[in-house]
Amino acid sequence: MKITGETPKKTIKFKTKAPEASMVLSQWWLDKNPDKAAMELLTSAAYLKETQAYRYRQAAIYARLYGNQSLYSFAGSNVSKMDQSMGLPQERPTFNLIQSVVDTLVSRLSQSRPAPVFLTDNSDYKERNLAKKLNNFLLGEFYQCKTYDLAATALKDALVEGTGVIHTYETQDNKVGMERVLLTELLIDPNEGMYGDPRQMYRMKLVDRNVLIANFPKYREKLELAAKATPDNSSDASKTVSDLVMVVEGWHLRSGKNAKDGRHTLACSTGHLVDEEFTKDRFPFTFMHYSPRMLGFWSQGVAEQLMGTQMELNSILVTISRAIKLVGVPRVFQEEGSKISSAAHNNEIGVIVKFRGAKPTYEVAPCNAPELYEERDKLIQYGFQQSGVSALQASSQKPAGLDSGEAIRTYDDISTDRFAALSRRYDNMFIDLAYQVIDLAKDIAVRDGKYQTIYPNKNGTKEIDLPKASLIKDSFVIQCFTQSSLPKDPAGRLEKVTEMVQSGMISLQEGRRLLDYPDLEQVEKLANAGEERILQVLDEIIESGKYSPPDPWMDLALATQLTTSYINLYTSAKLEESKAQKLRDFFNQVQTLITASTPPITPPGAAPAAPGGPSPQAAPQPQQTSPLVPNGPQA
């Protein structure tokens, strides 16, 4: 990523050769002059980039193994070698084991949607309510930033290159934003990152010149003079109509809680664009590692682990292909001197072939030894075993004989155990993203006075304000839960939910909700409407003090039960007396409605309320049964 080319006014060269020792050891974060610190930052980044050229070569190899596309010479001439006659890639393997494994793992792990949840420990009502608001706010930010899509991309980067990266930053309209970052853009000193906790980090990125001018109008003249940059030194890369500028961003963490050496600097070839104190204890990046190494910051990916297997497989596939093309075609053996016209050898039906002498023979020679095909199949199977992915999962098949939901669930659990550590790292990535989002949003709220996001729910969307920064304490703990731990297939899901209902762990109504069949959505919504309305009224009392009286259309028995639970829960959590009194008022009005709807009991010996004797009773109807609970009443 050298900066080359000419600017409209003058040429500025960005040297990437190894600098002197005194320049390498210069601490750019301590220099009081912003432009001088920026030049020292550029020099340090260029030195690290040159000494870590092996990282770029490795990244190019692993990217080509997955998608036959290099990261190093992306716009150069080495993207793919093309066949002159057919115009098809020659280096593309006929069976890409690495791509199959990576796509299977991404599809499998990204099905779960981890939802970070703020939890409190022995807290009062206000802290519980604050945690609930933070959960809604966090879901809204994940929705706005398309976090789950970015996480799936970062997971693929981790599988191919070893480490996936997501950058959390402040957008131009003062909102939280996220973007994918290639690990080739980041630089870390290997000695400092030996144990995975470096104190400084650099990022080199190509940015459009006009975008930089729009974001930093105060430095317009400086940016107009900045050198034009290209991805690499290839001749094809310089053939472009874009006007890109190389910018280098550096972060240095403070040495201690009261230290003043934390610094954040953004620079181009003509000087600094941003220079500020950095008081955070972490970098604004979230990392997803596939297989952490014994030492060093960067991890190992699937492409590196399966590289030897894939190369040997490619060699066998090439041998098989060449042998088939060489001898795998029909051949005609005709005795020399026989009187047979060559025009008789055609594809016409019913053609008469006249010959004199020996009759011609048609033969197809064996192309390859059977051991070659056996070795090919063994390598494919070994590659799947090495990565922990079964060939059946890669082809979306299940083993023969697994027809029951229980058998499918057991097979799914055994397969998942192989990726337990990777799944935890995937969940932890969302926890780290949650901290990054809340931390950045809190800074924006302190500076601008407030911060709002859009929270999507089943009733549409609504705006959520970030709670006051003074209320957000370090006592909050974030845990990560997947969207559902139930099986994905309908048979397994139905059997698991049925078992939970029959054992009494959940109610029939909850079981119907857990099934989550698309055609039952309307039924589920109607069945839960009464409970949802009561919960909405009680939540409004707790959150804002808004009071809505009960009416006869409510499920009064359920309202009695839920109101009692709310009173017991929030009274012990130091709920304000005014809100507690509204809960008691709601309970009393519910009891009044119940009393009014109950007919009076006639004492023994008393005259009937109406003449004519007792009213006729309707014949009892048989109870409906539930498909989930045998011989159980339909809820």
Side-chain angles (χ1 to χ4, degrees):
M1 294 182 179
K2 291 186 179 179
I3 295 183
T4 58
E6 296 184 356
T7 60
K9 294 186 178 180
K10 63 178 182 179
T11 302
I12 298 177
K13 297 182 179 180
F14 181 64
K15 299 180 180 180
T16 59
K17 68 176 183 179
E20 301 295 334
S22 60
M23 298 176 66
V24 175
L25 299 177
S26 62
Q27 298 178 328
W28 57 270
W29 57 88
L30 297 179
D31 202 310
K32 302 299 182 182
N33 188 329
D35 283 330
K36 186 177 179 182
M39 292 299 106
E40 294 173 352
L41 173 68
L42 294 175
T43 304
S44 299
Y47 173 75
L48 290 176
K49 182 178 182 297
E50 182 170 348
T51 56
Q52 298 181 25
Y54 64 91
R55 287 186 54 224
Y56 297 92
R57 290 194 296 269
Q58 290 176 343
I61 292 173
Y62 303 147
R64 183 176 291 277
L65 284 172
Y66 171 75
N68 201 40
Q69 186 178 62
S70 173
L71 292 179
Y72 185 65
S73 56
F74 178 80
S77 58
N78 297 325
V79 173
S80 178
K81 183 187 295 184
M82 306 300 290
D83 182 81
Q84 295 295 332
S85 59
M86 301 297 294
L88 299 175
Q90 291 180 333
E91 299 176 355
R92 182 73 176 181
T94 56
F95 186 88
N96 195 328
L97 174 66
I98 293 176
Q99 188 177 49
S100 179
V101 170
V102 169
D103 291 346
T104 300
L105 287 175
V106 171
S107 176
R108 185 175 182 82
L109 292 178
S110 61
Q111 285 182 11
S112 65
R113 297 170 65 88
V117 178
F118 284 88
L119 300 177
T120 58
D121 185 14
N122 195 24
S123 60
D124 57 15
Y125 150 73
K126 290 185 178 179
E127 290 183 343
R128 291 183 184 178
N129 193 36
L130 175 60
K132 182 178 179 180
K133 291 182 179 179
L134 285 175
N135 292 334
N136 293 338
F137 176 82
L138 194 57
L139 291 177
E141 285 298 287
F142 277 12
Y143 172 78
Q144 295 294 321
C145 298
K146 296 181 173 58
T147 303
Y148 292 106
D149 294 337
L150 284 174
T153 304
L155 176 61
K156 178 180 288 188
D157 290 341
L159 293 170
V160 176
E161 302 291 348
T163 303
V165 189
I166 296 179
H167 180 206
T168 306
Y169 65 99
E170 182 178 353
T171 62
Q172 195 172 2
D173 55 352
N174 302 327
K175 294 291 184 180
V176 175
M178 297 181 187
E179 64 175 343
R180 169 207 187 190
V181 177
L182 291 175
L183 80 167
T184 51
E185 294 182 4
L186 298 180
L187 296 168
I188 295 174
D189 191 297
N191 295 328
E192 193 176 45
M194 181 179 299
Y195 298 105
D197 55 348
R199 305 299 301 172
Q200 52 184 322
M201 185 175 294
Y202 306 85
R203 182 184 182 186
M204 305 179 71
K205 185 178 181 181
L206 293 171
V207 184
D208 185 87
R209 190 187 305 271
N210 292 326
V211 173
L212 287 172
I213 294 176
N215 282 274
F216 305 100
K218 184 170 64 173
Y219 300 103
R220 182 183 185 90
E221 182 178 356
K222 185 183 295 186
L223 289 169
E224 287 178 347
L225 296 175
K228 185 176 181 179
T230 53
D232 51 55
N233 294 328
S234 63
S235 58
D236 289 344
S238 59
K239 299 175 182 178
T240 177
V241 296
S242 60
D243 185 12
L244 302 177
V245 175
M246 177 68 75
V247 293
V248 179
E249 195 168 7
W251 296 266
H252 183 271
L253 303 181
R254 55 185 180 177
S255 303
K257 186 175 182 180
N258 298 322
K260 301 296 183 182
D261 58 345
R263 195 165 184 177
H264 170 223
T265 300
L266 177 66
C268 63
S269 60
T270 51
H272 81 282
L273 302 175
V274 174
D275 187 77
E276 59 186 3
E277 183 181 4
F278 191 67
T279 59
K280 307 295 182 183
D281 295 327
R282 69 181 73 188
F283 299 107
F285 297 99
T286 300
F287 298 94
M288 172 65 197
H289 299 281
Y290 173 68
S291 180
R293 302 178 189 271
M294 294 295 294
L295 291 176
F297 183 84
W298 307 108
S299 299
Q300 186 183 44
V302 169
E304 182 179 352
Q305 293 179 351
L306 298 181
M307 179 176 176
T309 306
Q310 182 70 63
M311 298 301 292
E312 183 66 20
L313 180 61
N314 290 351
S315 177
I316 292 179
L317 292 174
V318 168
T319 301
I320 293 175
S321 177
R322 290 180 177 178
I324 291 176
K325 291 179 180 179
L326 181 64
V327 298
V329 294
R331 284 175 168 79
V332 181
F333 292 88
Q334 181 176 328
E335 183 179 358
E336 186 176 359
S338 60
K339 302 298 182 177
I340 301 176
S341 173
S342 58
H345 301 294
N346 53 56
N347 291 329
E348 295 182 7
I349 300 175
V351 63
I352 299 176
V353 179
K354 297 180 180 181
F355 69 94
R356 182 181 301 172
K359 181 181 178 180
T361 59
Y362 294 81
E363 291 187 9
V364 178
C367 304
N368 295 286
E371 291 78 9
L372 200 60
Y373 294 99
E374 293 177 2
E375 182 65 17
R376 178 201 61 184
D377 296 339
K378 287 180 181 179
L379 283 174
I380 294 175
Q381 187 65 30
Y382 173 73
F384 283 122
Q385 292 176 356
Q386 187 178 359
S387 61
V389 178
S390 72
L392 294 174
Q393 290 175 339
S395 58
S396 300
Q397 299 178 6
K398 65 179 180 65
L402 295 186
D403 299 324
S404 68
E406 179 62 29
I408 294 175
R409 292 205 307 272
T410 303
Y411 174 73
D412 189 68
D413 292 340
I414 294 175
S415 303
T416 304
D417 289 343
R418 176 64 172 80
F419 311 113
L422 179 62
S423 180
R424 283 196 300 270
R425 286 193 289 271
Y426 186 67
D427 292 347
N428 290 336
M429 177 174 63
F430 288 90
I431 295 177
D432 195 17
L433 285 172
Y435 279 117
Q436 297 273 12
V437 168
I438 294 296
D439 197 26
L440 181 56
K442 182 176 66 175
D443 292 342
I444 298 175
V446 171
R447 185 193 64 205
D448 299 342
K450 67 175 183 178
Y451 188 97
Q452 285 186 334
T453 189
I454 303 297
Y455 168 63
N457 57 19
K458 57 187 176 182
N459 296 323
T461 59
K462 68 175 182 177
E463 293 184 353
I464 298 292
D465 289 327
L466 177 70
K468 294 182 179 179
S470 59
L471 297 178
I472 303 177
K473 302 177 182 178
D474 295 335
S475 60
F476 286 98
V477 177
I478 296 183
Q479 293 189 5
C480 202
F481 299 95
T482 56
Q483 187 180 36
S484 176
S485 58
L486 293 172
K488 302 295 187 298
D489 59 284
R493 195 179 189 94
L494 176 61
E495 188 165 345
K496 181 64 176 178
V497 171
T498 302
E499 293 171 1
M500 296 174 68
V501 172
Q502 292 177 349
S503 63
M505 296 175 60
I506 60 175
S507 66
L508 182 59
Q509 186 177 13
E510 292 171 332
R512 184 167 50 241
R513 180 183 302 177
L514 289 175
L515 285 178
D516 194 24
Y517 290 154
D519 55 343
L520 295 180
E521 182 178 357
Q522 183 65 20
V523 177
E524 173 194 342
K525 192 172 183 179
L526 292 174
N528 298 325
E531 181 182 2
E532 293 293 340
R533 184 188 175 201
I534 298 172
L535 292 175
Q536 180 182 2
V537 172
L538 295 178
D539 285 340
E540 287 178 348
I541 294 176
I542 295 298
E543 294 178 1
S544 62
K546 179 183 177 181
Y547 182 81
S548 299
D551 54 58
W553 288 274
M554 283 186 177
D555 187 339
L556 300 178
L558 181 60
T560 300
Q561 177 185 350
L562 293 177
T563 308
T564 303
S565 299
Y566 266 65
I567 292 175
N568 292 329
L569 174 63
Y570 288 104
T571 301
S572 61
K574 302 179 182 178
L575 179 66
E576 294 92 331
E577 179 58 29
S578 60
K579 295 180 179 179
Q581 183 58 45
K582 291 181 179 179
L583 288 177
R584 291 191 286 267
D585 294 342
F586 186 84
F587 178 83
N588 292 333
Q589 291 191 20
V590 169
Q591 302 309 308
T592 301
L593 291 175
I594 293 177
T595 303
S597 62
T598 303
I601 300 176
T602 304
S615 58
Q617 301 292 327
Q621 298 294 324
Q623 291 183 337
Q624 296 180 349
T625 58
S626 167
L628 295 180
V629 184
N631 300 325
Q634 178 72 35

